[in-house]
Amino acid sequence: MMLTTVLLVVCSLFASTFSAPVAPPPVRASSATTVNTPIGTAQGVLDGSGSAVRFAVKYASADRFASSKVSTAWTFPNNGTDPSALPLPCPQLGLDDSQLDEDCLSMLLFVPPSFNPPSPGSPGMPVMMWIHGGSFIVGSATAPGLDGSNLALATNSIVAVIQYRLGAFGFLSPDGTNNNAVRDVMNALQFLQNNVASFGGNPDLITIAGQSSGATMVRALLAVPEAEPLFKQAILQSDPMDFGFLSTTTQSTLQSYFASQLPSSCTLTDPSCLSTSSLLSTSMATFGAAGSLDPAAGTFSPMRPVHDGSLLTSSLDLTSLPSFPTQSKSILITNVLDEATMAIYSLNRDLIPEAQFPTAVGGTFDKNRTSTILGSSFYKTPPPQNGQSSQTVDARVQLADLGTDYLWKCPGWSFARLFETFGGHVFVGTWFVGQTYPGNEQVSECLESGVVCHQDDIEMVFGTVDNPSDEQKAVILEMQARYKMFLLTGNPNVPAFESWQEVEAKVDGDVRAKKLGGQGLVDVGSCSPDFWGEEVQYDYQVFGI
């Protein structure tokens, strides 16, 4: 069993979770709200609770495989006329052609109900633009939990939830162009820059935020000089930083394979010859084959932003240390306590005997990294309990800890140190309280008390937990207060709550990761500067990307 292979299984779970759009909230009669914008009249609706006004709009358009262009007229998604309608998702697994749309570059704006365009001298509200996750192959602005109404109200901000082209549609243009999906997201930011003031927003206070591959996209934008003036600060939740960005060599290999699997008699941009579903099938075949075509692609998100040297001018990892760009922005980096638990236990439904732990580690890492991991004190066999033997001690516990450190937690901490060293302001935290995200209940271990699996932070941030416990209510209240302050100032500290210390890597290398939903700091453990990234290299270091 390989830790990287197991994550491919998780993508199929994501597909059932992210793909289908949620039903729109009930809309009040006579609830339409109109706003004059520089590109036309925007029409929105109040949701059933009246907590925010929701505007659905196409922020950009693009022909198949072409670069997108920012919208110059206010247009509803799906070529529709109903302001309450939600955008169809971009092409992805689990949907037929009637449930998706290649012309999918849309966003949902959630605006506090008492908004007014800022008067001269008034700063206006901050804006948070959310980028969904899903391994760059699934996801949408209408995925569960992403209703931004409660978050907009709690933070007194405008919340924009966007969608962007996925898979080959966003990353494997046949003419060799890469990073179309990155440009989509940049155009979403430009759309906000052009129009958000009409809704009472401040275009100089835009924060980009994302979870999982959405956080990878946030990190990509931090590596794009052209995007630098489009946003003020950034939030990265559960970014699998171990993989790094793609190299141009790996991207070219995947692009060639993708093209080779399509009929040579077809013009790829001709929908009469190649349907959306046929291109999607070939995209997913490329996704599945990527790790065998080039190990540097990995198996989790092999179609991802490319360090091309023109748009993305830095790989923003330890391999580019001499050229790591000077930073000035503030960022939040968070992970959840048990990032890898869903992946490990979804593939391995039965206990893995402790004696098989070395084999499992060796199936993922090369000989040197395996030897170092097995010889360390961080992933030792837990002591037998009540007469257990090596055949009854469950190695899945260690594998989940190892996977969390390897893919998410420790590379995030390494990035935090580097970002701060080069001038940025960084706050790091780990979620100790969450809400089981739809799909995670398929793994019973994610339902256990105290376990916070990958994605379980999403509904906490958005305040969309159904019937939250008292503990969850307290954490949601605190975190939304911290996000409100961060959106305004770039600092998440609020007088009513425990101090969230800033990273000071130049002083002692400690990231001072705060327990989110707890008191005090997270134990450093294997994420010390001299273990992961040094004794045990990350994949992006091994592959030189």
Side-chain angles (χ1 to χ4, degrees):
M1 192 236 23
M2 298 175 63
L3 291 174
T4 46
T5 300
V6 72
L7 294 173
L8 186 58
V9 176
V10 180
C11 293
S12 65
L13 298 177
F14 284 168
S16 63
T17 299
F18 277 107
S19 300
V22 297
V27 176
R28 294 178 177 180
S30 303
S31 62
T33 301
T34 59
V35 176
N36 293 323
T37 78
I39 60 172
T41 301
Q43 196 172 17
V45 294
L46 286 167
D47 67 21
S49 66
S51 64
V53 184
R54 187 184 75 233
F55 297 87
V57 62
K58 286 177 60 177
Y59 67 81
S61 60
D63 294 330
R64 180 183 284 176
F65 296 123
S67 293
S68 56
K69 297 180 180 179
V70 180
S71 295
T72 56
W74 190 275
T75 308
F76 291 125
N78 319 323
N79 295 315
T81 58
D82 181 2
S84 68
L86 298 174
L88 293 173
C90 297
Q92 58 191 271
L93 280 175
L95 302 177
D96 61 38
D97 285 357
S98 67
Q99 297 173 299
L100 51 81
D101 188 358
E102 284 194 47
D103 188 18
C104 59
L105 302 182
S106 299
M107 69 169 62
L108 294 172
L109 286 172
F110 298 89
V111 186
S114 59
F115 71 90
N116 289 296
S119 58
S122 171
M125 291 181 289
V127 181
M128 188 182 93
M129 191 182 85
W130 179 265
I131 307 169
H132 69 74
S135 294
F136 293 117
I137 56 169
V138 292
S140 73
T142 55
L146 299 188
D147 185 326
S149 295
N150 292 340
L151 182 60
L153 187 63
T155 57
N156 192 37
S157 66
I158 295 173
V159 176
V161 183
I162 72 165
Q163 48 194 41
Y164 51 94
R165 284 176 289 180
L166 303 168
F169 296 90
F171 295 99
L172 298 181
S173 179
D175 67 1
T177 301
N178 51 47
N179 288 324
N180 273 339
V182 179
R183 292 186 181 277
D184 292 345
V185 178
M186 291 173 61
N187 281 335
L189 281 168
Q190 187 62 63
F191 181 89
L192 291 173
Q193 287 282 339
N194 297 345
N195 297 285
V196 77
S198 299
F199 300 87
N202 186 341
D204 294 326
L205 280 180
I206 296 177
T207 297
I208 53 174
Q211 186 270 344
S212 196
S213 58
T216 302
M217 184 66 82
V218 170
R219 181 161 43 92
L221 294 177
L222 289 167
V224 176
E226 189 180 335
E228 195 277 335
L230 298 178
F231 65 98
K232 181 73 171 177
Q233 50 233 356
I235 300 172
L236 301 88
Q237 298 178 205
S238 298
D239 182 357
M241 293 190 191
D242 169 80
F243 298 114
F245 301 134
L246 279 187
S247 69
T248 53
T249 301
T250 301
Q251 191 274 342
S252 179
T253 298
L254 301 185
Q255 190 278 329
S256 296
Y257 180 85
F258 172 70
S260 73
Q261 301 303 299
L262 297 166
S264 59
S265 59
C266 287
T267 300
L268 298 183
T269 55
D270 182 1
S272 65
C273 181
L274 281 173
S275 66
T276 300
S277 58
S278 63
L279 283 173
L280 178 59
S281 295
T282 308
S283 173
M284 292 311 302
T286 305
F287 183 99
S292 60
L293 294 170
D294 186 339
T299 57
F300 186 42
S301 52
M303 291 177 279
R304 61 185 186 269
V306 182
H307 177 208
D308 58 2
S310 55
L311 186 68
L312 274 71
T313 59
S314 169
S315 59
L316 286 186
D317 58 41
L318 297 180
T319 59
S320 64
L321 182 59
S323 61
F324 198 92
T326 300
Q327 302 298 322
S328 61
K329 295 184 184 294
S330 295
I331 63 173
L332 294 182
I333 298 176
T334 67
N335 67 283
V336 300
L337 184 62
D338 306 287
E339 294 279 11
T341 292
M342 200 249 290
I344 296 298
Y345 285 85
S346 65
L347 185 62
N348 302 283
R349 298 294 187 179
D350 298 323
L351 177 148
I352 297 178
E354 178 60 31
Q356 294 182 19
F357 179 68
T359 302
V361 175
T364 294
F365 300 99
D366 57 58
K367 182 177 179 180
N368 288 337
R369 289 198 289 177
T370 297
S371 176
T372 303
I373 290 169
L374 295 178
S376 75
S377 61
F378 300 119
Y379 309 106
K380 290 293 187 181
T381 305
Q385 301 291 328
N386 301 321
Q388 287 181 323
S389 69
S390 62
Q391 295 301 309
T392 56
V393 172
D394 194 348
R396 291 180 298 178
V397 176
Q398 291 155 276
L399 290 170
D401 289 342
L402 174 58
T404 294
D405 292 352
Y406 156 53
L407 294 173
W408 287 281
K409 180 182 174 184
C410 296
W413 288 23
S414 294
F415 178 76
R417 295 185 187 101
L418 199 58
F419 197 90
E420 188 273 340
T421 297
F422 281 83
H425 300 276
V426 190
F427 298 86
V428 175
T430 297
W431 288 83
F432 275 66
V433 176
Q435 166 63 26
T436 302
Y437 194 75
N440 282 1
E441 74 280 352
Q442 298 178 39
V443 175
S444 61
E445 285 76 12
C446 287
L447 298 174
E448 294 179 0
S449 176
V451 174
V452 188
C453 287
H454 190 67
Q455 306 177 98
D456 285 354
D457 51 339
I458 294 175
E459 294 183 346
M460 299 291 289
V461 168
F462 276 80
T464 49
V465 177
D466 187 26
N467 297 317
S469 66
D470 289 344
E471 181 184 40
Q472 289 174 320
K473 288 178 183 177
V475 176
I476 292 169
L477 178 67
E478 175 183 346
M479 293 306 298
Q480 289 188 335
R482 291 187 182 279
Y483 273 43
K484 178 179 181 178
M485 187 61 70
F486 184 79
L487 299 182
L488 281 169
T489 68
N491 188 311
N493 279 293
V494 181
F497 300 106
E498 182 183 48
S499 174
W500 190 341
Q501 300 177 56
E502 187 172 340
V503 173
E504 293 187 85
K506 293 191 293 289
V507 176
D508 54 14
D510 189 356
V511 301
R512 297 170 172 79
K514 188 184 184 324
K515 293 181 179 179
L516 307 179
Q519 298 294 309
L521 302 180
V522 182
D523 291 337
V524 174
S526 70
C527 295
S528 61
D530 59 355
F531 191 71
W532 281 105
E534 291 292 336
E535 289 188 58
V536 182
Q537 291 189 323
Y538 301 119
D539 282 356
Y540 62 69
Q541 295 171 292
V542 170
F543 294 113
I545 54 178

